[in-house]
Amino acid sequence: LEVDHIKVDGQLLHAPKRHVYIALNKPKECMTTVSDPEGRQTVMHLMRGIRERVFPVGRLDYDTEGLLLLTNDGDIARRLEIPAAGWTRIYRARLFGKVTQADLDKLATGITIDGVKYGPIVADLERSKGMYSWATVSLTEGKNREVKRVMEGLGLKVARLIRTAYGPFQLGQLADCQRAFQ
């Protein structure tokens, strides 16, 4: 087998790296990490068949489900992750506890909980029945467990959390564990 090599000024040229972009509907009880010391399922288990090494753009908690982006394009990943870029992340949250739209409106100017300042969050009450409600929550910071912590700050518990959008990328009709490739 003969292999051609191309050199310029004595330096070997490499073929351009093939960038991969994946939208995944992450199930709950799955770690957003490359490996887990406790042996729990990770999103990498869902990437079987993908030859390129991809990594998650941002994170979703173990019990959070929904849209997760993965790529091997570090430049794009960085642009999507940094808070200064202002990409909006949208979630649907099932809340436990009595809540009104007026309660959720308190998040619009930001909130400080246990000394941590959270930026403005837009939260719209979709529907309520008894002690359970559904709300759409939009934020740009994406701090660790942000939605859960700000809701706890209002006296609510997040019973289910689903990310439906990350910037221009939408979960749409992507089924659990299903991948969309570009």
Side-chain angles (χ1 to χ4, degrees):
L1 179 68
E2 192 172 319
V3 178
D4 290 329
H5 297 282
I6 300 174
K7 291 184 177 184
V8 175
D9 294 331
Q11 297 294 318
L12 183 64
L13 290 183
H14 299 283
K17 184 177 184 180
R18 178 178 168 246
H19 286 128
V20 176
Y21 307 94
I22 299 170
L24 172 75
N25 188 350
K26 179 195 150 318
K28 64 182 188 171
E29 298 181 356
C30 182
M31 297 296 293
T32 304
T33 186
V34 174
S35 65
D36 180 51
E38 296 179 34
R40 295 173 289 190
Q41 181 183 32
T42 73
V43 293
M44 294 300 113
H45 292 111
L46 305 174
M47 294 295 104
R48 290 188 190 112
I50 305 297
R51 289 192 324 241
E52 292 82 359
R53 184 175 187 275
V54 296
F55 50 91
V57 176
R59 297 200 177 270
L60 288 177
D61 293 342
Y62 182 69
D63 287 322
T64 301
E65 54 196 289
L67 182 63
L68 180 66
L69 305 174
L70 298 105
T71 186
N72 62 352
D73 186 339
D75 292 335
I76 294 293
R78 178 79 179 132
R79 283 189 232 159
L80 287 169
E81 287 179 330
I82 58 172
W87 294 105
T88 300
R89 295 136 170 104
I90 301 174
Y91 298 83
R92 288 195 70 231
R94 186 170 190 223
L95 307 171
F96 179 74
K98 287 289 187 183
V99 64
T100 64
Q101 184 60 52
D103 295 325
L104 296 176
D105 288 343
K106 295 173 187 174
L107 302 173
T109 56
I111 188 171
T112 300
I113 301 168
D114 296 330
V116 178
K117 170 83 172 122
Y118 296 93
I121 296 173
V122 176
D124 294 310
L125 190 61
E126 293 177 21
R127 64 179 185 267
S128 292
K129 185 173 183 178
M131 294 296 286
Y132 283 97
S133 302
W134 279 98
T136 300
V137 181
S138 302
L139 52 95
T140 56
E141 280 188 314
K143 288 182 179 170
N144 188 23
R145 294 181 176 81
E146 184 170 357
V147 174
K148 292 177 182 179
R149 289 187 175 144
V150 298
M151 292 305 171
E152 286 171 0
L154 296 176
L156 304 167
K157 179 175 177 6
V158 175
R160 187 173 180 196
L161 189 59
I162 307 162
R163 182 159 57 196
T164 59
Y166 192 122
F169 306 100
Q170 305 287 317
L171 181 61
Q173 300 301 312
L174 199 57
D176 274 358
C177 299
Q178 189 175 8
R179 302 180 301 225
F181 299 92
Q182 285 185 324

